[in-house]
Amino acid sequence: MARGVLTAMLATLLSAGAMAQPSQLNLRKGVTDISSQVYDLHMTIFYICVVIGILVFGAMFIALIFHRKSRGVKPANFHESVKVEVAWTVVPFLILIAIAIPAANTLIAMEDTSKADVTVLVTGSQWKWHYKYMENDVEFYSVLATQPEQIRNKFNKGENYLLEVDKPLVIPTDKKVRFLVTSDDVIHSWWVPDFAVKKDANPGFINEAWTRVNEPGIYRGQCAELCGKDHGFMPVVVVAKAPAEYDAWIAEQETIQRKAKEEEQKLLAMNMDMTELMELGSKVYQSSCAACHMPNGEGLPGVFPGLKGSAIAIGDMTKHIDVVVHGVSGTAMQSFGKQLSLKELAAVITYERNAWGNNTGDTVQAKDVNAVLTGK
Amino acid sequence: MAQNPPNNGRLVIKLVAVVLGMFGFGFALVPLYDVFCDVTGINGKTNPFAATYEVQDIDTSRTITVEFITRTNTGMPWEFAARTRQVQVHPGELKTVEFTVHNPTAKNIVGQAIPSVSPGTAALYLNKTECFCFNQQPLLAGESAVMPMQFYVDPQLPADIEIFTLSYTFYDVTETSSTVAMNRG
Amino acid sequence: MSTAAEHLHHDEHHDHKPSGIKRWLYTTNHKDIGTLYLWFAFIMFLIGGAMAMVIRAELFQPGLQLVDPNFFNQMTTVHGLIMVFGAVMPAFTGLANWMVPLMIGAPDMALPRMNNWSFWILPFAFLILLSSLFLEGGGPNFGWTFYAPLSTTYSNDSTALFVFSVHIMGISSIMGAINVIVTIFNMRAPGMTWMKMPLFVWTWLITAFLLIAVMPVLAGAVTMVLTDKFFGTSFFDAAGGGDPVLFQHIFWFFGHPEVYIMILPAFGIISQIVPTFSRKPLFGYASMVYATASIALLSFIVWAHHMFTTGMPVAAELFFMFATMLISVPTGVKVFNWVATMWRGAITFEIPMLFSLAFIVLFTIGGFSGLMLAITPVDFQYHDTYFVVAHFHYVLVTGAVFSIMAAVYYWLPKWCGKMYDLGLAKWHFWCSLISVNVLFFPMHFVGLAGMPRRIPDYALQFADFNKWISIGGFAFGLSQLIFLALLIKACRKQGEAATDRVWEGAEGLEWEIPSPAPYHTFETPPVVK
C-alpha cells in the first residue's frame, strides 16, 4: 500500500519536473543562471534519493513478499556482517561527497556580491517592503494591492491574489543587481523564487544578496519569515526591464519624486476642509492603519491598542502627530513620516481624531505635520 | 531493591551539575557568540572600541569602495545622513567621513548608532579610530551636529572584497541612557 | 534469556495500592506514572490535533474564512508547542517509565518520588500555556520557535506565561531524563551488560543525555526572552548592542538535538519490533548503538542549518552543510539494518509491525527531504516553505508518532493483559496511513511551488493541493478517534486474555513476566545470561 502511494506520487512529481513553465508541483527553474543551477542541484539530489529509495524499499518489499512466515520459510539467524556494514557506511559517504562538490560551487557563486551594477536597499517592516536605489534618489514603499474585500471573500479573487503590490521593485535585466536587506522591526525574509534569492531582513543588521536576471518579466514572491499578524500579506513583486527601459524608468522616477517634494512644500500654505480631510483620511487609514488598529478603530485588545476614545487620539494634537510621524520605539507603531505625504498624514490624523465618535472637531493641516517633522 | 544499593545520589549530583552547567552555557553563548563573530565576521559586527592607527604602508595598488547607509529606527525622529554616500580608500590609508545629524523635535534625545558591515568578513578589517557609534550621542531639542568617523582598512583585507557597505542605524535610547550624558549641554 | 524469579510470588498481594484519585496523585510506581504520561500525551495529541484542524479548516480554501490571522498564528504556535512538548516527548517518557525497568530487570525507576513530581508538574505547564489563549490579546503567536524580536519587543504580555510554562516543561523533562539515566546506570539486573541492553534502552539513555544537555539551554533562551521583554536587558535587541540572530543560534543549539530527542527513542522502538515479527535477531546491534551515539554527537554541530538564510559567511554555511549531510550516514545505517533484519526472516504482519513498516518507509522519505534541505543553495529555495513543513511532519508524525503507536500496540497486551480489538486496530492503521499521506505528501508540492509556511491565506495556484491537504488532515484527525475508542476498550479490560509472551517471536525480560504486568515486578532481580 505504502509503496503504491509512493510510486504514484513520485510519478506525478517526475512528470511535473518535465513541464516547462512555473510548475505547481516542482521547484521552478527561474530566470537567472543561479536559479537554474539551483534547480539542477535540486533535481540531481531528488533523483539520487529516488534511486536510493527504490533500492532500499525494493529490498524491503522483496523481504516482505518472499520472506513471510505464511510461505513457510524458516528464519535465518545471521545478525551481522562487517563487510556489508562497512559498505553501506562508505558508499553513502561517497555519494554525499559527489553531491557536496557542485553544491559548494553554487553556494560560493551565490554569495559573491562583488562588482554589482545596481544596488537596492530592501527594508522590511510590518507588513510592507521599502526599496531604496543607492545610486539614485528614488525610494518607495511597496504594499499589498489586493483589496481587503477579496481576502474577506466579498469580491472574486483576482489572478494575482495576494501576490500583487502597488509599486513593484524595478530592476534592469542582464545587470548584476545587489540587494542590501534589513528590517525596521522584526525579522522578515525577502524571497523571489524565480531568482533563487531568499535573505533574512534582520533589524539593525544588513545582509547581502544579488541576482542577474536574464529575461524581462514580472516576478512574484513573498515574505518567508513569520513576522506577525499579516505575515501572509506582504508580497514581493519585481519587474525586470531591459537596461534602456530601466534607465528611462529610474530617470522618470527621480523627476517624479523630486517634483512631489516640491509640490509638498507648496501645499504647506493650503488648508483643507474637514470633509476633504475625512474623506482622504479614511482611505489612508484603511490602507496604512487598519491592519493593526482595525477598521473600527478598536484595535486588537492586548495586542494593538484601539484608537477609539484613546488618550492619544483625543488628547494633545502635537503628541498625536508626533506618534504618527515618528512611531513609538519598542512597539509595533512604526514611523509614517516618510511613508505618507504631508497631506495624507494631516488627513489620517484628522480622521483618527474625529472618526468612531472621537469627535474632537480638530482639523490637522499639512503645515502642522510639517512643524512636528522639521521642528519649525 | 537491588542487592548492592547503588549510589544514586552521587550520579544525580553529577547530572544536576551537568544541567546547571548547560544552563550557564546557554548564557555563555552570548559572549562566545561575540568572540565567534569577531573571529569569523558573522553578522558584520564592528569592533565597539577605538583602534589605534599606526602609520603603515599604504597599498596604493588597491582601491576599496566603502559605501555608507544611514538609517533611523522606529520612534527615532532624528535626521541622519552621511555627507558622502561612498568613499574610495587605499588599504592602510586613514580616512575621515562626516555624518550630519539633526534633532528636529522639541525634546532632548539620546541616540545610539548601531553599525553593521556587509559582507560580514569585511568587518574584521575595518578599523575605526574614531566613531560616534562608540558612545551614546545626546542632542538637545533642535540641535544639529556633525559627527566624524575616522577609519582605515586593514591591508590584509581579502582580495575579493572591493566594495563593502557600512550601515548605521540610530536608536532612541533616551529612556535607558544615564542622565549624565544629557547634562552635557 | 533470563529466569524470572518473581513468578513465584507475583500473585501474593503486596499490590497494596491506594484506590481512586490518590493512587494516581501520590503514585511512585513506574507503571502508574508511565500510564499517566501516556494518557497525558494522548490528550495533548488530541488537543494539538484539534488546533491543527482549525489551521487546516482555515486553509481549506483561499481567503480568510474562520479565524483572523492573529488567532491563526496562535494556533500554529501552540499546535507546535503542544505536539513537541506535550505529546511526543511525554509519550516517549511514558514508554520509558513503563518499559525501561521491565527491560533491564529493575523493580522500579531509581528515583520514584522525583518521578511523581516530574509528571505532575506537566499538566500545570500546559494548563498555563492553554489558558494564555483565553487572555486578552491571546497566547503566544510568534511560532513555536519564538524568534526574537517578534517574541520580545513585539509580543504581548502573555509571553510571561509562555516562558513560565516552557520552564516547567523543561524541568519536567530534565527530571525525567535524570531518572532514566540513573535507572539505567544503577539498576540493571545482574548480567545485563551494556551491550546486552535492548536498543530501546540504549536509545533512551542517549536521548536522556541529550535532554540534560539541551533543555537547560532552552531554559536559558526563554529566560533571556523574558528579561529582554520585561526587565530591560538587550540580548537580542540591536539597540542595546544585542543581536536577534544570536537568539536563533541559542534556540537551534537546543532545537536540533531536540529533533533527535524526538526520534532516537523511535529508532529504539522500531529496533525492538522488527526483530520480533521477523523472528530473527536485530541485524547489526552494535552498529545500531554506535549510529545512535554518532547521530547524537553530530546533532550538536549542525544547528545552523536552520539558519542558512540569516546571512552567514560562506565558510560557516559550507561547514554546516557538510556536517548536516554527514548525519544521513548513521541514519542510513539504521534503515539498512532494519531491512537486513527482515531479510530472510519469517515475517508476519501484526499491527505493531504494520506501523513499523510504515515508519521505515515514511520516515525514510522524511530523511530524503532532510538531505535535500541540507544542501545550502537549494535550501534557500526550500527554507520556510511547506516543503519544510512536509519534511518535519514526515519525520515527526509518520516517524515519531507512528513509532509511539507501534509501541503502544506492541506492549499494550502486556500492560492490560488483554489483546486489544484487532479490527479497530486495523482500521486505525489503514485510515491513518492513507490519510497521513494525503495530508503531508502534497505539502512537498505546494512548498516547491513556493507557498511559505505559517500563512493564513495563500495565492490561488496553491488552492487545489491545499484542499486535498485539508481533507487528508480531517481524515487523519478522525482516524485518531478510532485509536481513542480502542484504548478505552483496552483499559476496560475487554478482549481476549494475552499470553505472557504475547507475540510468538518476542524476546526480552519484559515478556518473561505475566500479562498483565503485576504492580511490582523484578523485586528479586532476574539473572541475565
Side-chain angles (χ1 to χ4, degrees):
Chain A
M1 174 60 224
R3 185 180 55 166
V5 171
L6 185 72
T7 39
M9 289 189 166
L10 289 180
T12 33
L13 188 53
L14 289 178
S15 60
M19 293 197 318
Q21 73 257 85
S23 153
Q24 290 198 6
L25 292 170
N26 200 358
L27 213 58
R28 54 193 102 182
K29 225 174 161 85
V31 290
T32 67
D33 294 349
I34 289 285
S35 71
S36 96
Q37 279 182 40
V38 165
Y39 174 83
D40 293 341
L41 264 178
H42 160 73
M43 289 317 289
T44 312
I45 179 130
F46 171 71
Y47 285 124
I48 289 174
C49 288
V50 169
V51 171
I52 298 174
I54 289 171
L55 291 177
V56 174
F57 300 147
M60 180 171 139
F61 279 94
I62 289 172
L64 295 185
I65 293 164
F66 295 105
H67 306 154
R68 270 183 295 161
K69 195 189 172 212
S70 57
R71 294 174 75 103
V73 293
K74 284 210 102 175
N77 199 34
F78 65 88
H79 53 82
E80 58 190 356
S81 159
V82 176
K83 260 186 235 164
V84 176
E85 288 174 64
V86 168
W88 68 39
T89 311
V90 172
V91 172
F93 190 72
L94 296 178
I95 296 173
L96 289 182
I97 293 177
I99 304 171
I101 293 168
N105 288 335
T106 306
L107 181 64
I108 290 166
M110 285 173 117
E111 298 288 340
D112 174 18
T113 50
S114 62
K115 299 196 183 71
D117 302 303
V118 175
T119 301
V120 183
L121 176 64
V122 178
T123 311
S125 60
Q126 286 181 327
W127 295 282
K128 49 180 93 75
W129 295 99
H130 176 260
Y131 300 113
K132 182 176 182 187
Y133 292 79
M134 298 302 289
E135 288 86 7
N136 305 83
D137 273 327
V138 175
E139 59 179 303
F140 52 86
Y141 281 87
S142 178
V143 186
L144 177 74
T146 302
Q147 299 150 296
E149 290 84 357
Q150 289 188 22
I151 296 170
R152 293 277 161 202
N153 306 307
K154 294 197 179 102
F155 295 174
N156 286 334
K157 295 176 173 53
E159 189 195 349
N160 294 312
Y161 176 69
L162 295 189
L163 296 177
E164 51 201 346
V165 295
D166 58 347
K167 289 194 80 177
L169 173 70
V170 178
I171 58 169
T173 55
D174 302 316
K175 291 259 165 93
K176 186 163 183 173
V177 181
R178 183 169 66 122
F179 303 108
L180 296 168
V181 186
T182 186
S183 163
D184 274 339
D185 39 46
V186 299
I187 300 172
H188 303 269
S189 191
W190 195 79
W191 179 31
V192 183
D194 280 306
F195 304 165
V197 169
K198 184 184 284 151
K199 212 51 153 175
D200 284 5
N202 297 322
F205 296 88
I206 48 172
N207 263 332
E208 278 183 297
W210 68 275
T211 191
R212 185 192 292 272
V213 181
N214 298 329
E215 297 159 34
I218 301 172
Y219 304 107
R220 299 172 197 276
Q222 281 177 275
C223 175
E225 181 62 63
L226 177 64
C227 56
K229 178 173 148 294
D230 282 353
H231 161 57
F233 305 93
M234 57 181 289
V236 174
V237 181
V238 182
V239 177
K241 292 183 187 232
E245 284 176 55
Y246 167 79
D247 290 340
W249 177 86
I250 197 102
E252 185 194 338
Q253 290 300 311
E254 274 189 315
T255 325
I256 292 174
Q257 299 210 345
R258 198 181 55 240
K259 284 222 175 105
K261 272 181 202 154
E262 290 166 9
E263 279 299 302
E264 193 141 75
Q265 291 305 311
K266 282 183 206 153
L267 280 176
L268 284 181
M270 196 187 75
N271 276 330
M272 290 165 79
D273 67 32
M274 190 64 151
T275 354
E276 263 182 297
L277 284 167
M278 287 298 281
E279 200 177 314
L280 176 63
S282 165
K283 271 189 211 145
V284 176
Y285 182 84
Q286 297 308 329
S287 64
S288 296
C289 316
C292 297
H293 296 298
M294 296 291 126
N296 59 10
E298 284 169 9
L300 272 181
V303 187
F304 302 118
L307 301 179
K308 187 176 173 180
S310 85
I312 288 173
I314 58 176
D316 176 44
M317 192 164 89
T318 319
K319 171 74 185 157
H320 188 176
I321 299 173
D322 179 55
V323 166
V324 175
V325 300
H326 294 134
V328 181
S329 73
T331 71
M333 180 64 199
Q334 42 192 257
S335 51
F336 287 90
K338 284 174 194 146
Q339 299 188 33
L340 301 172
S341 70
L342 290 177
K343 197 165 110 182
E344 287 167 328
L345 286 165
V348 78
I349 297 168
T350 308
Y351 178 77
E352 287 173 359
R353 298 183 74 76
N354 293 288
W356 327 291
N358 278 357
N359 299 338
T360 56
D362 296 339
T363 55
V364 181
Q365 299 297 345
K367 62 175 185 300
D368 304 323
V369 179
N370 193 52
V372 174
L373 259 178
T374 59
K376 279 162 203 153
Chain B
M1 297 290 271
Q3 59 272 69
N4 52 337
N7 202 338
N8 289 350
R10 274 176 66 183
L11 186 54
V12 170
I13 289 169
K14 278 185 205 158
L15 294 172
V16 170
V18 172
V19 169
L20 293 177
M22 287 309 290
F23 185 69
F25 178 74
F27 284 89
L29 279 173
V30 178
L32 277 177
Y33 176 73
D34 283 339
V35 173
F36 197 58
C37 290
D38 281 348
V39 178
T40 62
I42 282 188
N43 242 345
K45 281 190 173 183
T46 63
N47 199 329
F49 305 106
T52 46
Y53 180 70
E54 289 147 22
V55 182
Q56 47 186 301
D57 294 335
I58 294 171
D59 181 0
T60 48
S61 65
R62 289 177 71 191
T63 308
I64 311 294
T65 306
V66 185
E67 213 177 18
F68 300 102
I69 295 179
T70 52
R71 305 175 60 242
T72 53
N73 195 57
T74 298
M76 180 50 148
W78 289 3
E79 287 155 21
F80 173 43
R83 284 230 166 125
T84 39
R85 190 135 63 185
Q86 56 181 43
V87 292
Q88 322 277 331
V89 290
H90 300 302
E93 180 189 4
L94 198 62
K95 200 90 177 180
T96 305
V97 184
E98 287 183 334
F99 291 79
T100 59
V101 65
H102 170 60
N103 176 1
T105 64
K107 57 189 180 204
N108 306 338
I109 291 174
V110 184
Q112 170 70 56
I114 302 295
S116 173
V117 173
S118 188
T121 26
L124 301 178
Y125 304 92
L126 172 71
N127 296 295
K128 292 186 272 192
T129 53
E130 195 188 330
C131 180
F132 53 92
C133 61
F134 294 153
N135 300 309
Q136 295 182 344
Q137 301 290 332
L139 275 189
L140 299 179
E143 192 185 10
S144 297
V146 174
M147 303 182 304
M149 196 277 284
Q150 195 177 46
F151 71 99
Y152 68 95
V153 178
D154 193 308
Q156 307 290 323
L157 183 76
D160 58 323
I161 300 180
E162 290 167 351
I163 177 168
F164 64 85
T165 311
L166 175 53
S167 110
Y168 284 107
T169 308
F170 250 114
Y171 287 82
D172 179 353
V173 292
T174 313
E175 274 178 33
T176 50
S177 74
S178 51
T179 43
V180 187
M182 212 54 242
N183 295 335
R184 181 199 64 142
Chain C
M1 191 175 165
S2 73
T3 60
E6 87 297 325
H7 265 254
L8 297 171
H9 56 115
H10 86 268
D11 267 338
E12 298 166 25
H13 11 63
H14 46 118
D15 281 24
H16 42 76
K17 47 193 177 199
S19 53
I21 185 83
K22 276 190 178 169
R23 165 181 172 192
W24 298 104
L25 215 50
Y26 299 140
T27 186
T28 55
N29 180 289
H30 74 102
K31 300 184 183 80
D32 280 354
I33 294 174
T35 306
L36 285 171
Y37 264 114
L38 286 166
W39 271 110
F40 176 78
F42 190 60
I43 292 165
M44 284 296 139
F45 180 63
L46 295 179
I47 294 176
M51 292 175 181
M53 296 301 105
V54 174
I55 294 168
R56 284 323 316 174
E58 177 56 52
L59 292 173
F60 186 72
Q61 48 182 332
L64 293 178
Q65 287 85 20
L66 299 171
V67 296
D68 74 275
N70 192 44
F71 188 71
F72 182 90
N73 287 347
Q74 293 174 42
M75 286 292 104
T76 54
T77 305
V78 182
H79 164 75
L81 289 167
I82 285 197
M83 288 306 198
V84 169
F85 296 106
V88 173
M89 288 169 67
F92 280 135
T93 313
L95 290 171
N97 264 293
W98 249 106
M99 299 318 297
V100 166
L102 295 186
M103 290 172 124
I104 62 171
D108 203 312
M109 296 294 276
L111 310 160
R113 238 162 282 149
M114 188 168 90
N115 208 7
N116 172 288
W117 273 100
S118 63
F119 172 76
W120 276 111
I121 59 174
L122 210 47
F124 292 97
F126 286 91
L127 218 57
I128 292 168
L129 180 66
L130 288 171
S131 64
S132 75
L133 286 172
F134 299 98
L135 293 180
E136 191 181 69
N141 58 4
F142 28 69
W144 85 276
T145 51
F146 60 106
Y147 279 10
L150 191 59
S151 62
T152 55
T153 316
Y154 296 88
S155 67
N156 65 39
D157 287 346
S158 74
T159 308
L161 294 180
F162 158 80
V163 169
F164 191 46
S165 89
V166 171
H167 269 307
I168 301 176
M169 294 170 204
I171 291 168
S172 163
S173 300
I174 289 169
M175 292 202 296
I178 289 179
N179 216 339
V180 168
I181 294 173
V182 177
T183 306
I184 296 174
F185 267 64
N186 289 349
M187 313 232 343
R188 278 169 293 136
M192 177 61 79
T193 56
W194 289 110
M195 293 311 269
K196 272 190 191 161
M197 288 197 318
L199 258 170
F200 179 70
V201 179
W202 255 118
T203 52
W204 238 110
L205 179 65
I206 293 167
T207 303
F209 275 107
L210 283 180
L211 276 166
I212 63 164
V214 300
M215 290 309 285
V217 177
L218 174 69
V222 289
T223 307
M224 288 182 231
V225 163
L226 185 79
T227 57
D228 260 21
K229 175 148 185 68
F230 296 104
F231 302 108
T233 58
S234 28
F235 290 107
F236 311 128
D237 182 6
D243 184 344
V245 178
L246 168 65
F247 172 84
Q248 297 177 37
H249 283 287
I250 299 176
F251 179 82
W252 287 114
F253 186 84
F254 145 79
H256 203 76
E258 168 69 20
V259 170
Y260 293 107
I261 287 167
M262 293 190 284
I263 203 65
L264 293 185
F267 292 162
I269 291 165
I270 303 304
S271 303
Q272 300 297 132
I273 293 175
V274 169
T276 298
F277 299 100
S278 304
R279 290 166 183 77
K280 193 165 153 277
L282 182 70
F283 186 89
Y285 170 90
S287 69
M288 282 293 207
V289 174
Y290 301 138
T292 311
S294 47
I295 292 173
L297 288 176
L298 282 172
S299 75
F300 285 102
I301 56 161
V302 296
W303 78 90
H305 66 217
H306 297 268
M307 310 166 46
F308 282 143
T309 62
T310 55
M312 278 185 280
V314 188
E317 287 177 330
L318 289 172
F319 171 79
F320 286 110
M321 172 168 84
F322 296 147
T324 306
M325 291 168 78
L326 216 50
I327 288 195
S328 60
V329 174
T331 315
V333 165
K334 286 183 164 291
V335 176
F336 301 145
N337 281 343
W338 292 322
V339 174
T341 306
M342 287 183 259
W343 192 258
R344 292 183 51 211
I347 303 171
T348 49
F349 299 93
E350 285 86 346
I351 309 294
M353 185 63 166
L354 290 176
F355 271 100
S356 301
L357 294 174
F359 171 96
I360 295 172
V361 172
L362 300 174
F363 172 80
T364 306
I365 292 177
F368 286 149
S369 54
L371 180 60
M372 295 170 82
L373 283 158
I375 315 292
T376 315
V378 205
D379 177 74
F380 291 149
Q381 290 284 51
Y382 305 145
H383 178 77
D384 267 335
T385 67
Y386 261 79
F387 190 79
V388 178
V389 180
H391 161 71
F392 67 71
H393 281 98
Y394 262 85
V395 292
L396 284 178
V397 179
T398 59
V401 173
F402 268 32
S403 82
I404 292 164
M405 288 171 180
V408 170
Y409 283 121
Y410 186 50
W411 285 309
L412 191 58
K414 174 58 67 187
W415 300 338
C416 300
K418 306 277 179 179
M419 184 48 85
Y420 42 78
D421 186 329
L422 287 171
L424 281 181
K426 276 182 191 151
W427 272 101
H428 176 225
F429 172 72
W430 289 108
C431 290
S432 296
L433 179 70
I434 294 164
S435 59
V436 85
N437 282 293
V438 177
L439 166 58
F440 295 124
F441 208 87
M443 286 187 181
H444 291 111
F445 302 138
V446 286
L448 292 175
M451 178 166 162
R453 64 191 280 208
R454 293 168 164 168
I455 55 173
D457 192 5
Y458 47 84
L460 299 180
Q461 75 252 36
F462 309 125
D464 294 344
F465 275 128
N466 269 287
K467 191 177 280 173
W468 281 107
I469 293 169
S470 288
I471 290 169
F474 301 143
F476 185 68
L478 290 175
S479 307
Q480 303 322 308
L481 299 181
I482 306 174
F483 192 33
L484 177 66
L486 180 142
L487 290 174
I488 290 172
K489 270 183 93 171
C491 285
R492 287 191 178 158
K493 313 255 174 190
Q494 294 166 344
E496 254 180 77
T499 59
D500 289 359
R501 189 155 296 272
V502 184
W503 314 106
E504 186 191 35
E507 297 277 353
L509 285 180
E510 78 263 41
W511 308 110
E512 309 285 332
I513 56 170
S515 297
Y519 199 58
H520 298 287
T521 39
F522 296 128
E523 291 184 297
T524 320
V527 177
V528 183
K529 286 186 211 117

